[in-house]
């Protein structure tokens, strides 16, 4: 069977956790392929809210296997907290959770390095979640990293010490004030590693190969979004992994010709946490309303998200780069009550009107060109069928489908599993 992908098409926080959870019924295996605890995937069911950071969002389904792939970076300390949280819900993660031996570990000193690097940047800071993601991927590409499989070797602590010592000298190099007590951090880290070691470590590329051959259905769960991709996002204000379709191939060991559907998920408007350009950002009452009604606060850091109109220039780019076959639109319900809605269809750039994403999208380089729509008043959150959706809402949907040349097959009208309309 081909491997399907579920990818965020904006700056993350599109609602991937909820949709993976809804889709899980159709899949035998859910596999995370990049990112780490910088992600916060929120799932709501039976009146309970669950936030996952590294563990795939299929974990609440009894018969689904969940794989943390080689492209993911794991912080054992945060992982332990996630597992303890699952204990409360009697989720049998020992049966259903697999971890790639080739996934890299986030060390306490990676987190400290992240903090030092950000502090040294001053106003130019990325707005990182400070989970140590960047420094861990730097060690991966620098060929210094420690992998999950290393934990099975006798001498892994020697390797750990050498790397942690090197990090400490790098922290000093930054010459900023980062307070820490490494002994305490290491105690917590080594305890968490013991729990991690009690889980199933596997050669995940082979596991997925065999699963495909035996007809198992697999969904690769993306983290962050296409505009945070290290190559195609708004560099340098991006994360440190490939969040796009290609990342699923390298982050799981799946061949490109084995990819099936690529589901692209987007919000009916746009949000962003952290720094970086955001052409359709709103600084007025409309933006404030989106943030308040949409409860736009980061699931990992609690930071308020910046809000703005839907940007079709950026969305079109993400659809193309990922080869999206079906779209999933989230949070249309948040736009109920707006008299007029705007969608950015082009940018004014160097005196021209363009519809592709240029190299620079800072405010001084691009001005959004908007198309306006009449809003709708109806509360969508109780609607269960596409036929109940207001005509103005459907006009908005139809316009997006035409512009993006891709069907919107799922419309989410609230955070709960049940608030999902399949078309
Ligand atoms: P890092 O990946 O923690 O280094 O953060 C780099 C940038 O990506 C920052 O602007 C973060 O706010 C953003 N970012 C990282 N992970 C997520 C996410 O899961 N959702 C939204 N933004 C994210």
């Amino acid at each position: 069977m081909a491997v399907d992908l579920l990818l965020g098409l904006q700056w993350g926080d599109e609602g991937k956790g909820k949709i993976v959870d809804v889709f899980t019924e159709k899949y035998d295996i859910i596999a995370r392929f990049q990112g780490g605890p910088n992600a916060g995937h929120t799932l709501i069911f039976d009146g309970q809210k669950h936030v996952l950071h590294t563990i795939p969002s299929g974990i609440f389904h009894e018969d689904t296997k969940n794989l943390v792939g080689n492209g993911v970076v794991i912080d054992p300390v945060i992982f332990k907290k996630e597992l303890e949280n699952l204990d409360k819900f009697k989720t049998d993660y020992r049966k259903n959770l697999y971890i790639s031996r080739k996934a890299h570990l986030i060390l306490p000193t990676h987190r400290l390095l992240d903090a030092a690097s950000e502090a040294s940047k001053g106003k130019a800071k990325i707005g990182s979640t400070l989970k140590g993601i960047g420094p861990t991927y730097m060690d991966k590409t620098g060929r210094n990293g420690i992998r999950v499989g290393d934990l099975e070797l006798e001498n892994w602590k020697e390797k750990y010490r050498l790397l942690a010592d090197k990090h400490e000298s790098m922290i000093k190099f930054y010459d900023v004030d980062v307070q820490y007590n490494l002994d305490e951090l290491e105690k917590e880290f080594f305890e968490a590693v013991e729990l991690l070691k009690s889980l199933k470590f596997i050669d995940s590329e082979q596991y997925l190969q065999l699963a495909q051959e035996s007809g198992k259905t697999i969904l690769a769960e993306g983290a962050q979004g296409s505009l945070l991709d290290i190559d195609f996002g708004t560099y340098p204000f991006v994360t440190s992994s490939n969040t796009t379709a290609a990342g699923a191939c390298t982050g799981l060991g799946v061949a490109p010709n084995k990819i099936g559907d690529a589901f692209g998920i987007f919000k009916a408007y746009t949000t962003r946490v952290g720094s970086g350009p955001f052409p359709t950002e709103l600084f007025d009452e409309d933006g404030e309303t989106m943030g308040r009604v949409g409860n736009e606060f980061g699931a990992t850091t609690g930071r308020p998200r910046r809000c703005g109109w839907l940007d079709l220039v950026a969305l079109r780019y993400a659809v193309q780069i990922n080869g999206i076959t079906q779209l999933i639109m989230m949070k249309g319900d948040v736009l109920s009550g707006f008299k007029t809605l705007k969608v950015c269809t082009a940018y004014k750039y160097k005196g021209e009107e363009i519809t592709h994403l240029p190299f620079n999208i800072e405010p001084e380089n691009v001005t959004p060109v908007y198309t306006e729509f009449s809003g709708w008043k109806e509360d969508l959150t109780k609607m269960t069928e596409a036929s109940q959706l207001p005509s103005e809402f459907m006009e908005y949907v139809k316009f997006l489908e035409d512009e993006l040349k891709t069907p919107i097959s799922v419309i989410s009208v609230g955070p709960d599993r049940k608030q999902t309309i399949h078309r």
Side-chain angles (χ1 to χ4, degrees):
M1 292 288 286
V3 177
D4 292 341
L5 313 180
L6 190 278
L7 305 166
L9 300 183
Q10 294 160 316
W11 278 289
D13 308 316
E14 296 90 355
K16 295 173 288 290
K18 164 180 168 166
I19 293 301
V20 174
D21 177 55
V22 168
F23 277 23
T24 296
E25 281 176 11
K26 297 193 285 182
Y27 293 94
D28 299 306
I29 301 170
I30 307 293
R32 275 279 305 269
F33 59 88
Q34 47 69 231
N38 49 350
H41 291 179
T42 306
L43 291 71
I44 299 183
F45 54 87
D46 302 337
Q48 299 259 24
K49 179 175 165 179
H50 311 265
V51 182
L52 297 168
H53 298 286
T54 323
I55 295 174
S57 301
I59 199 70
F60 294 103
H61 292 251
E62 214 181 310
D63 299 320
T64 309
K65 302 292 179 208
N66 290 269
L67 170 69
V68 180
N70 58 278
V72 176
V73 290
I74 301 173
D75 183 333
V77 177
I78 296 178
F79 207 77
K80 179 168 176 266
K81 288 188 187 137
E82 278 190 77
L83 294 175
E84 285 165 355
N85 204 34
L86 292 180
D87 277 337
K88 283 191 222 146
F89 299 100
K90 311 241 174 316
T91 303
D92 190 359
Y93 57 79
R94 292 200 180 273
K95 185 175 108 206
N96 288 334
L97 185 58
Y98 296 84
I99 301 170
S100 170
R101 286 198 173 88
K102 294 196 173 82
H104 280 245
L105 292 179
I106 302 175
L107 313 186
T109 42
H110 281 132
R111 266 185 276 136
L112 298 172
L113 271 174
D114 215 356
S117 161
E118 279 286 77
S120 74
K121 287 195 167 103
K123 281 203 179 124
K125 72 175 185 198
I126 307 289
S128 162
T129 60
L130 302 180
K131 302 291 175 197
I133 306 295
T136 307
Y137 279 115
M138 274 166 70
D139 271 335
K140 175 177 178 174
T141 51
R143 292 152 295 174
N144 301 311
I146 298 185
R147 299 185 290 175
V148 165
D150 289 325
L151 301 177
E152 295 172 322
L153 307 176
E154 295 244 311
N155 68 344
W156 82 269
K157 281 196 181 162
E158 287 164 32
K159 199 170 168 189
Y160 169 87
R161 188 75 276 140
L162 281 176
L163 192 55
D165 287 349
K166 179 173 152 197
H167 289 162
E168 279 212 278
S169 50
M170 288 165 75
I171 293 163
K172 282 195 197 104
F173 163 81
Y174 278 114
D175 197 21
V176 289
D177 184 27
V178 179
Q179 305 282 336
Y180 62 92
N181 178 334
L182 193 54
D183 289 342
E184 265 175 32
L185 293 174
E186 287 188 341
K187 184 170 173 287
E188 181 186 47
F189 176 76
F190 289 124
E191 270 170 27
V193 163
E194 286 314 307
L195 178 61
L196 192 65
K197 281 167 78 176
S198 70
L199 301 178
K200 293 190 191 86
F201 296 170
I202 61 166
D203 298 326
S204 55
E205 57 281 22
Q206 194 219 7
Y207 170 79
L208 289 179
Q209 183 68 42
L210 294 175
Q212 286 174 73
E213 279 168 24
S214 62
K216 296 265 190 278
T217 48
I218 303 168
L219 179 69
E221 173 182 8
Q224 291 85 47
S226 300
L227 302 175
L228 289 172
D229 183 277
I230 183 74
D231 283 282
F232 298 105
T234 47
Y235 191 91
F237 301 100
V238 293
T239 192
S240 306
S241 61
N242 282 115
T243 58
T244 43
C249 297
T250 56
L252 292 173
V254 172
N257 63 350
K258 295 289 175 356
I259 301 294
D261 258 313
F263 299 103
I265 178 166
F266 70 101
K267 278 184 207 175
Y269 48 99
T270 311
T271 63
R272 168 161 214 176
V273 266
S275 328
F278 179 177
T280 60
E281 183 168 11
L282 290 167
F283 301 95
D284 59 7
E285 212 178 296
D286 284 338
E288 192 274 322
T289 306
M290 284 172 192
R292 184 172 31 80
V293 180
N295 192 24
E296 296 295 355
F297 295 92
T300 298
T301 58
R303 290 179 292 179
R305 295 177 186 140
R306 300 154 63 192
C307 297
W309 298 118
L310 189 61
D311 183 343
L312 279 187
V313 178
L315 201 52
R316 209 179 281 124
Y317 173 80
V319 166
Q320 284 162 358
I321 284 202
N322 292 302
I324 296 300
T325 57
Q326 295 186 46
L327 287 162
I328 298 164
M329 186 168 103
M330 310 300 285
K331 289 195 153 179
D333 52 293
V334 172
L335 297 182
S336 290
F338 278 82
K339 207 159 169 254
T340 306
L341 300 174
K342 291 185 185 178
V343 173
C344 165
T345 48
Y347 294 150
K348 282 206 182 101
Y349 178 76
K350 295 187 180 168
E352 260 185 84
E353 200 164 296
I354 59 164
T355 53
H356 73 275
L357 202 76
F359 184 74
N360 293 315
I361 61 161
E362 292 74 22
E364 61 274 24
N365 293 307
V366 296
T367 309
V369 177
Y370 288 110
T371 300
E372 295 196 359
F373 293 83
S374 301
W376 54 90
K377 288 201 185 75
E378 293 85 342
D379 173 10
L380 312 185
T381 58
K382 308 254 171 352
M383 296 185 180
T384 49
E385 314 257 338
S387 59
Q388 298 169 307
L389 293 164
S391 57
E392 295 87 349
F393 178 85
M394 289 315 293
E395 257 172 55
Y396 191 76
V397 168
K398 173 87 177 49
F399 180 79
L400 303 185
E401 287 184 317
D402 289 347
E403 286 281 318
L404 299 168
K405 299 187 180 63
T406 313
I408 299 181
S409 54
V410 177
I411 292 172
S412 170
V413 290
D416 196 280
R417 252 184 207 170
K418 291 191 199 125
Q419 294 169 296
T420 312
I421 298 174
H422 297 266
R423 293 172 79 214

